[in-house]
Amino acid sequence: MTNSKNIESASITSGIADLAKKIAGRTATVGVIGMGYVGVPTMMAVAEAGFHVMGIDTSLDRVQSINAGLSYIEDVKNPSLEPLVSQGLISASTDYALVRGLDVILVCVPTPITKFKEPDLGPMQVAVSGLAKNLGDQQLIVFQSTTFPGSTEEFVLPQLEALGNKAGRDFYLAFALERIDPGNQQYLVRDLPKVVGGITPACTEIASAFFSSFVDSVIPVSSPKVAEMTKLLENTFRSVNIALVNELSVLCRRMNIDIWEVVDAASTKPFGFMPFYPGPGVGGHCIPVDPFYLSWKAKEYDFYVNFIQLAAETNDNMPYYTLSRIGAILNDHGLPLKGTKILVLGITFKANVNDTRN
């Protein structure tokens, strides 16, 4: 008599082997949900590796732009995008039903915060709902959106398994953090080590195999939580150190010390120091947002990350401090703040980007 568990095991082995073969042969079809500053460069990197890529987004304008070979992402130039569209390697749609025919799905939707500094999982919920309704067999699903530790296992997994599908058997689920740095032409998608944590060892293995096809270095970790926490550690590290130098800049102002000269001098130390520079606050998609995902989740464990919260408060106060300094400087010149025309050179969160959000 044939053992049903053996049949099931053989079926799983066969399913993941077929998927691995498709990935190795570049015949796997890849979907990218969310065509923003992470999704579009990811589509480019995957297509340049030889895969056919379908972008899925709720914005019809974005879809039409990509299908016309026109990039709205500064780091992706039209001369690079257009040939891939013409060759049929990149296309886009608003139809989540197309997910059924894909082999690999990468989720790159935004994960913002509310005005109360709490996670806004709306975009992620739309993506998960669309996946759950259109889940195919033996698909690899990888979330790349930065979020709190436990999101993949506690928020995503239950919804994908709600209709009886099982991760590691019917589909493969993992989290792989993104490290795209807008405006940075030195480190592109291929150059950024990819940390991958799957729900099961098989999930980690097949996700690592996929990313290895277009990323130079892949680092498997023991779970999605580890990968999720890794991204939050990276960005919280920056937030805390930016807050430190922002606070010191205020102190140095009172002490009549040039903080820029101090940082430059400290940077001559060949070990144990990394320079951070003061500014009117923090901006971008990550630093003003990600630490709040961690502090929110920490409360579930009756843990209050006071250090992180203090850094956020310091950085959030810098725009007000900057305004007070402008007022003081104008006053020194006998000018009122109201009615005075002020020229601002550079309004994005850093140089060489055109995104004015955050």
Side-chain angles (χ1 to χ4, degrees), residues 56-341:
I56 298 175
D57 200 283
T58 56
S59 169
L60 182 59
D61 288 342
R62 287 185 171 187
V63 167
Q64 291 176 337
S65 180
I66 292 296
N67 286 333
L70 301 175
S71 174
Y72 45 85
I73 301 297
E74 189 173 16
D75 290 342
V76 175
K77 306 303 181 184
N78 291 344
S80 299
L81 174 63
E82 195 279 331
L84 295 173
V85 173
S86 297
Q87 296 167 36
L89 290 173
I90 286 181
S91 58
S93 176
T94 58
D95 187 4
Y96 265 90
L98 295 173
V99 165
R100 294 191 189 99
L102 301 173
D103 298 302
V104 179
I105 301 105
L106 308 178
V107 181
C108 306
V109 296
T111 46
I113 54 175
T114 69
K115 65 180 181 179
F116 301 109
K117 309 292 188 181
E118 295 180 345
D120 177 3
L121 297 178
M124 183 175 283
Q125 181 59 63
V126 171
V128 175
S129 297
L131 284 169
K133 294 174 185 176
N134 299 286
L135 200 61
D137 187 44
Q138 299 298 307
Q139 291 177 318
L140 169 62
I141 301 170
V142 184
F143 277 74
Q144 297 198 108
S145 304
T146 304
T147 183
F148 58 84
S151 295
T152 305
E153 293 158 283
E154 300 165 14
F155 181 76
V156 177
L157 181 62
Q159 296 187 65
L160 296 187
E161 290 188 335
L163 297 179
N165 293 303
K166 184 72 175 175
R169 182 191 70 191
D170 305 305
F171 66 95
Y172 307 94
L173 178 62
F175 180 87
L177 59 91
E178 61 83 13
R179 286 168 163 164
I180 289 176
D181 183 15
N184 189 330
Q185 295 302 309
Q186 181 179 358
Y187 296 105
L188 305 179
V189 173
R190 174 169 288 281
D191 308 310
L192 298 169
K194 182 68 72 173
V195 177
V196 180
I199 294 294
T200 68
C203 294
T204 303
E205 181 181 351
I206 193 65
S208 297
F210 170 69
F211 284 108
S212 293
S213 65
F214 65 96
V215 176
D216 289 340
S217 177
V218 176
I219 300 92
V221 293
S222 60
S223 69
K225 283 184 180 180
V226 171
E228 291 159 346
M229 190 64 160
T230 299
K231 180 57 186 283
L232 292 183
L233 171 59
E234 292 174 3
N235 285 347
T236 301
F237 169 83
R238 291 186 58 79
S239 175
V240 167
N241 280 282
I242 291 170
L244 172 62
V245 77
N246 276 336
E247 188 166 66
L248 288 179
S249 72
V250 177
L251 173 61
C252 283
R253 163 67 187 157
R254 293 191 184 184
M255 298 177 69
N256 196 29
I257 298 172
D258 185 344
I259 182 63
W260 298 90
E261 184 179 0
V262 171
V263 173
D264 287 344
S267 298
T268 62
K269 184 179 181 181
F271 58 88
F273 181 82
M274 177 182 293
F276 287 83
Y277 299 93
V282 291
H285 313 278
C286 301
I287 309 304
V289 174
D290 296 351
F292 289 108
Y293 271 75
L294 184 55
S295 61
W296 176 84
K297 184 63 176 179
K299 293 174 185 176
E300 182 181 322
Y301 297 87
D302 296 325
F303 193 93
Y304 294 86
V305 284
N306 297 324
F307 200 66
I308 297 173
Q309 188 63 36
L310 181 60
E313 291 174 5
T314 300
N315 289 329
D316 284 349
N317 187 59
M318 287 307 292
Y320 301 100
Y321 172 74
T322 302
L323 182 61
S324 70
R325 287 288 302 125
I326 291 172
I329 293 170
L330 289 175
N331 187 61
D332 289 342
H333 290 78
L335 295 171
L337 185 59
K338 184 176 181 180
T340 299
K341 295 180 180 181

